[in-house]
Amino acid sequence: MEPTVTEAVNPAETESIPVKKEQLTAIAVDFSKREGVPLIKKFALFNSGMVALNQYERDAHLLDGLRTDSLRIDIFMGNEGQPFAHVVDGTAEDMTYHFEELDSLVGLLEEHGVRPYWSWCYIPFPLQQDGDWRKGPVSLEQWQSMFRELAAHYREQGLRIAYHEVYNEPDCGDTFFLGTMEDYTELYIRAARGLKEGDPDAVIGGPSTAFINLTGAAAMHSFLEKVLEENVPLDFFSYHSYGCDTYQYISRTRQAREILAQYVDFDTTELHLNEYNSLIQPFLSDGPAEHSMGGATMLTSFEQLLEETDVTLAHWAQFLDTGYEPLGSVDTKGRIKAPYWAYWMYSQMPEERVLVKGLPEENEAGLHALASADAESACILLWNDAPESRTAEIRLENSPFTSGKCEIYVMNDESDPYWQSEGEIKLQPQATVDVQETGESITVDLPAGGIAFYRFSDGAVMEKTERAGTMIRKHYYFPERGKKSYSFYDETDNTVYLGMNGEYSARAIVAEEVKRLPDIVQLECLFGGRYQEIDSNTSFSVRIDYAVGEEYTKAVLFTFMPMNPRRDSTVPWGTKREADSVILCDTLLTGNSWLMLKSNAPEGWSGRAIITYDMHSTGEDTWAELKLKPVEE
């Protein structure tokens, strides 16, 4: 949703407020220096299955511009009165399937650039014990058969479900499941088998744990070991966090990482914090979740979770209100609340993060700031998550825009239109001024929970390009979990982000599995930092694993420099062996390269391939952005 520009107001004309010295923070933004993990769009949204299709139809336009990767929904099968209760019906011996509303929702999300993330829960009517949606299934064979049918339906319809999650919060007491974690493990194994039988490309995960800290490491290890023993996939490990302690989502992330890191077999398993809210419970009407402090704490969580680089998705709870708890960023009438503004502000920022100097110590409540810039805009996002007001003086260094406009968005409890009227709320700047009027510094007052967003632009719009081929899925590899290096494939702009992020020796690697590839593709690469030969693993490469029929039979490696023969260049997907041929490509780092896919492919190539982007120990300040595009005719 594009903001509507309002009449310009010069902030300098507003009355100044005396500021105590301890509340004033002087910071500087240097737009010429790249810094840290890019502002990648790994933040997504969660919605309860209690939200009906007609609410999505009314409010789906609010997804426009949010650049959310996916929307996770716990489907809520088997619970009479819930919108998707009867997706699976009939009897255990003769189950029937009713996909009409779910399929409509998939299409609706696709129209707005969002991928569906289905949490398949709970026990459907035909498989319940004692008529209880938390109890069952009566037959594990039929449970597996059900998942086979669910996955096969979407594959046959050509509808991509980006992630299939097995159940929701089986360890949340008796709220959602009347069984043990051992019982859930059996459900997971059978469901994973069924999903793979129905769709070999299905991306599958669990255990959707509500309380990883209370359920405990022993139970998680038991689950993981059984998954390995039964040889079923665990593409992502999912866990949740609703605030009982400040930054609980970080402690639970580190618990999950510590557990997974003990298994080499799970080095390709992503961490998904796929249902979380950073506020402290309880969540009450007219409480922080509906005010600007809810948005400020959201942004703090985004800032912190960027550093957790094996967390590839984090789903904020939640997008739309259910009428049960006021956690939605959009209420039941379709009116946007302060957290929606905060999410939108972050989504507008270019990924190319730049240096911010002078901020308080990490994890200290108070003033926070992020800044980024590309050829289209330069942005600064500030917020205050402390209970006291703060004032920031921001010095602008090396600004890329000396002319044009600066849009200024402000969100706090005094300015929030949600509480000022019952009418329609438009997402629009509170002020628009000429860039020259902002000068070399900006002063902004932020009350408790206050948020301010500055966007500088000269009106230029970067050309949008189509992606090459059709995405099947992404692959990640974390052989050294906990290192600061990052790798991320952003489906919202089809760009790969790699970086060492201060690590002397590390591997940043991510892949896309694609079908319907053309014979030739163009690889656009922007590389920054000083390339150094750190050790025998130093390399920067793009690898193509080719599929013939159902098997990957050949791999070709395009590399910037000759490979050290001691380097192990295998990857845990595709052929899973060393490349069959190596092609030196001296333009790989310096701009555009044409990759001749067809001429290097094996006979019978299907047009399907896994394309791996691999940066290994190239220098602690190095980073790269890569985009695969069709060759222009």
Side-chain angles (χ1 to χ4, degrees):
M1 179 167 74
E2 285 301 313
T4 303
V5 178
T6 57
E7 183 180 356
V9 178
N10 189 344
E13 295 175 356
T14 61
E15 184 178 356
S16 62
I17 301 172
V19 179
K20 294 181 180 179
K21 187 174 182 180
E22 62 270 19
Q23 295 176 325
L24 177 65
T25 303
I27 64 175
V29 175
D30 188 343
F31 287 104
S32 69
K33 294 183 179 178
R34 290 283 294 262
E35 180 75 10
V37 179
L39 304 184
I40 53 180
K41 304 307 182 276
K42 70 178 183 180
F43 302 105
L45 293 166
F46 160 74
N47 243 107
S48 167
M50 298 167 70
V51 176
L53 178 61
N54 61 357
Q55 197 170 340
Y56 287 107
E57 291 172 335
R58 184 194 64 196
D59 296 334
H61 70 279
L62 294 172
L63 292 167
D64 295 341
L66 289 185
R67 292 188 62 190
T68 186
D69 174 274
S70 51
L71 178 66
R72 175 182 177 266
I73 300 176
D74 49 6
I75 303 300
F76 239 117
M77 296 185 293
N79 189 350
E80 195 65 73
Q82 300 302 335
F84 306 113
H86 290 274
V87 170
V88 181
D89 223 330
T91 65
E93 296 75 24
D94 185 20
M95 287 186 285
T96 58
Y97 298 86
H98 307 278
F99 289 105
E100 297 82 7
E101 289 201 340
L102 272 185
D103 288 358
S104 294
L105 183 52
V106 171
L108 186 63
L109 292 177
E110 286 185 348
E111 287 176 20
H112 295 276
V114 178
R115 285 144 290 282
Y117 186 129
W118 286 174
S119 176
W120 292 108
C121 58
Y122 295 96
I123 308 298
F125 291 111
L127 299 181
Q128 290 175 6
Q129 294 178 15
D130 304 324
D132 194 323
W133 53 271
R134 303 167 299 167
K135 193 175 181 181
V138 294
S139 167
L140 285 171
E141 288 74 18
Q142 291 300 96
W143 177 258
Q144 181 171 332
S145 174
M146 178 188 77
F147 276 93
R148 183 188 311 120
E149 292 299 320
L150 295 173
H153 166 78
Y154 286 107
R155 184 177 180 89
E156 290 164 5
Q157 295 297 313
L159 299 173
R160 178 184 168 214
I161 306 301
Y163 302 94
H164 295 271
E165 185 179 35
V166 179
Y167 220 78
N168 174 63
E169 298 191 349
D171 58 345
C172 189
D174 61 1
T175 306
F176 300 118
F177 185 55
L178 297 180
T180 64
M181 276 301 293
E182 289 78 11
D183 296 327
Y184 168 76
T185 300
E186 285 301 316
L187 264 62
Y188 180 86
I189 290 166
R190 290 303 192 102
R193 285 178 181 159
L195 288 165
K196 275 297 186 186
E197 290 165 354
D199 181 4
D201 295 324
V203 181
I204 305 163
S208 191
T209 171
F211 301 109
I212 191 172
N213 55 325
L214 300 179
T215 302
M220 293 299 110
H221 283 299
S222 179
F223 167 73
L224 294 171
E225 288 161 7
K226 192 68 173 177
V227 165
L228 288 177
E229 179 184 330
E230 297 294 332
N231 193 31
V232 293
L234 184 71
D235 297 308
F236 60 90
F237 182 97
S238 55
Y239 60 104
H240 301 167
S241 177
Y242 287 96
C244 297
D245 300 298
T246 305
Y247 311 141
Q248 175 183 277
Y249 50 89
I250 295 296
S251 62
R252 290 191 179 182
T253 293
R254 292 173 182 173
Q255 285 175 299
R257 176 182 301 120
E258 183 178 353
I259 292 167
L260 274 187
Q262 298 179 43
Y263 302 87
V264 173
D265 294 283
F266 293 124
D267 282 350
T268 56
T269 298
E270 305 170 43
L271 286 180
H272 286 188
L273 175 57
N274 64 9
E275 186 178 334
Y276 89 104
N277 193 291
S278 54
L279 289 167
I280 304 298
Q281 300 185 68
F283 307 121
L284 303 176
S285 180
D286 200 12
E290 298 195 294
H291 286 268
S292 63
M293 185 58 80
T297 61
M298 172 200 285
L299 293 172
T300 299
S301 75
F302 286 8
E303 180 184 39
Q304 293 177 332
L305 287 166
L306 282 171
E307 306 304 319
E308 309 296 326
T309 55
D310 53 348
V311 176
T312 58
L313 280 175
H315 292 78
W316 178 261
Q318 58 187 11
F319 176 41
L320 303 178
D321 263 343
T322 63
Y324 171 66
E325 281 183 325
L327 277 178
S329 60
V330 180
D331 74 8
T332 55
K333 297 179 182 179
R335 302 176 75 240
I336 59 176
K337 307 180 199 176
Y340 180 93
W341 290 71
Y343 193 110
W344 180 86
M345 290 174 186
Y346 178 83
S347 74
Q348 301 306 295
M349 302 190 74
E351 281 76 4
E352 294 82 354
R353 188 176 184 176
V354 298
L355 179 63
V356 179
K357 299 175 285 188
L359 286 171
E361 291 296 320
E362 185 180 1
N363 293 338
E364 179 181 326
L367 180 68
H368 300 257
L370 294 171
S372 61
D374 62 12
E376 193 170 289
S377 66
C379 298
I380 304 173
L381 179 57
L382 305 108
W383 67 97
N384 172 24
D385 62 1
E388 307 86 14
S389 63
R390 295 285 190 271
T391 297
E393 288 184 349
I394 310 144
R395 188 173 72 255
L396 307 179
E397 299 178 355
N398 302 304
S399 176
F401 297 101
T402 56
S403 62
K405 297 292 184 181
C406 174
E407 294 177 334
I408 304 168
Y409 298 78
V410 176
M411 172 50 61
N412 56 57
D413 286 347
E414 292 183 5
S415 67
D416 188 355
Y418 184 81
W419 299 104
Q420 295 176 358
S421 73
E422 294 291 329
E424 181 186 2
I425 300 172
K426 292 185 178 181
L427 188 65
Q428 58 190 20
Q430 279 73 17
T432 302
V433 301
D434 290 335
V435 167
Q436 294 92 330
E437 291 185 51
T438 62
E440 296 181 354
S441 66
I442 297 171
T443 299
V444 58
D445 298 317
L446 294 170
I451 308 168
F453 177 58
Y454 294 80
R455 178 163 59 183
F456 303 85
S457 175
D458 60 6
V461 177
M462 291 191 295
E463 181 183 356
K464 307 299 182 186
T465 57
E466 295 183 5
R467 62 161 293 117
T470 302
M471 172 70 82
I472 298 171
R473 61 162 298 176
K474 296 167 281 193
H475 295 270
Y476 285 90
Y477 183 37
F478 303 104
E480 299 174 290
R481 288 187 189 271
K483 284 201 170 184
K484 296 184 296 181
S485 53
Y486 61 84
S487 56
F488 187 71
Y489 189 102
D490 191 339
E491 284 200 66
T492 71
D493 65 359
N494 295 308
T495 302
V496 173
Y497 297 91
L498 305 174
M500 292 293 98
N501 195 29
E503 295 286 356
Y504 179 74
S505 175
R507 191 176 190 184
I509 178 172
V510 67
E512 56 176 323
E513 192 160 2
V514 188
K515 59 185 177 182
R516 303 189 187 98
L517 280 164
D519 294 349
I520 306 171
V521 293
Q522 181 181 359
L523 181 67
E524 185 180 275
C525 177
L526 179 64
F527 188 93
R530 187 166 67 92
Y531 190 102
Q532 301 178 67
E533 190 167 344
I534 301 298
D535 53 35
S536 61
N537 288 315
T538 295
S539 59
F540 184 76
S541 60
V542 175
R543 171 176 165 142
I544 314 295
D545 283 72
Y546 292 94
V548 176
E550 300 297 319
E551 301 293 329
Y552 281 92
T553 63
K554 180 183 179 182
V556 175
L557 190 74
F558 295 86
T559 180
F560 171 62
M561 295 180 67
M563 301 288 292
N564 190 309
R566 292 182 295 165
R567 186 202 176 216
D568 178 8
S569 62
T570 59
V571 294
W573 44 72
T575 68
K576 300 182 181 180
R577 62 173 187 261
E578 296 279 355
D580 298 283
S581 60
V582 177
I583 299 173
L584 288 179
C585 182
D586 58 9
T587 62
L588 205 58
L589 260 65
T590 57
N592 295 331
S593 305
W594 282 25
L595 305 184
M596 315 302 289
L597 299 184
K598 180 68 173 178
S599 62
N600 287 289
E603 185 177 351
W605 177 47
S606 64
R608 174 174 174 146
I610 301 177
I611 303 171
T612 302
Y613 307 90
D614 194 354
M615 170 185 275
H616 203 162
S617 302
T618 52
E620 59 187 5
D621 67 339
T622 53
W623 53 267
E625 296 174 7
L626 303 103
K627 189 186 292 279
L628 198 68
K629 304 189 297 186
V631 173
E632 297 181 3
E633 296 182 359

